[in-house]
Amino acid sequence: NHGWKGEHPITIETSYNLLKNKDRERAFQYLIETSPDVVIAEWPCDQFSSFVKVNKGKGPDVARRLIENQERHLPLIAWIAKVERWQRKRGKLFVGEQPAHCDSWKLASTQKMQKNNYNTILDMCQFGLKDPYTKKPYRHRTKLVHGSRILHERLSKLCPGKPVSYTHLTLP
């Protein structure tokens, strides 16, 4: 047997609604039972994107709903931070991913992850991300938080410039 064996993902599609505490508990139990060498996590960014800041200016009702939506996702992000700590304490690898400028990186739970790991910034155009129609590269600046020096060295690739042929994705 060579390499890692993949387990089924913990997603809404596999019956885990991680916005619900009982499903987060069930998912953590699954992680304990399967004892993964690597956990790759990505949490929703929409609630913390730059569009939220703009949309909060559309009035108090919109702002209140946006804030409630952000607060609804805080337990999920805190749970992901718990999984990161668990993996790190076991000497295993955790990789968390979000757009580099997403405000979720400013949360206390993600700040702790960043403090204890490598923070790798990369541009997806350096790994082949292209517009499906124009075939022009998308920059899409991304941040990874993880405990691997090798990943950090190999993935720290930023766009060398803005050639005319580039389309830079600027959404967070």
Side-chain angles (χ1 to χ4, degrees), residues 46-166:
D46 293 354
Q47 295 75 18
F48 299 94
S49 74
S50 58
F51 287 119
V52 170
K53 293 176 201 170
V54 171
N55 288 331
K56 282 181 180 177
K58 292 182 178 179
D61 287 339
V62 172
R64 179 185 48 77
R65 284 194 308 270
L66 291 168
I67 291 167
E68 287 172 358
N69 196 23
Q70 285 178 329
E71 289 173 352
R72 197 166 57 94
H73 283 79
L74 293 177
L76 163 61
I77 297 170
W79 180 81
I80 290 170
K82 173 184 172 180
V83 172
E84 180 277 326
R85 283 189 309 276
W86 177 70
Q87 278 291 92
R88 185 168 27 91
K89 287 178 182 178
R90 295 180 331 113
K92 304 296 183 179
L93 182 60
F94 172 90
V95 180
E97 181 274 335
Q98 282 288 281
H101 301 293
C102 187
D103 279 352
S104 66
W105 289 119
K106 297 175 184 176
L107 299 172
S109 56
T110 60
Q111 288 286 307
K112 289 177 186 174
M113 284 194 285
Q114 294 170 81
K115 181 180 176 185
N116 292 301
N117 288 286
Y118 288 94
N119 294 271
T120 303
I121 306 293
L122 58 109
D123 288 333
M124 296 301 288
C125 60
Q126 299 304 293
F127 299 93
L129 181 65
K130 293 183 180 183
D131 182 284
Y133 301 105
T134 68
K135 306 300 182 208
K136 291 181 181 178
Y138 277 149
R139 183 178 78 177
H140 193 56
R141 187 147 290 169
T142 301
K143 182 174 187 174
L144 304 176
V145 61
H146 58 88
S148 171
R149 179 186 55 80
I150 293 170
L151 280 181
H152 182 69
E153 290 171 358
R154 293 192 179 169
L155 297 178
S156 294
K157 294 183 181 181
L158 299 179
C159 179
K162 291 186 178 181
V164 176
S165 65
Y166 265 53

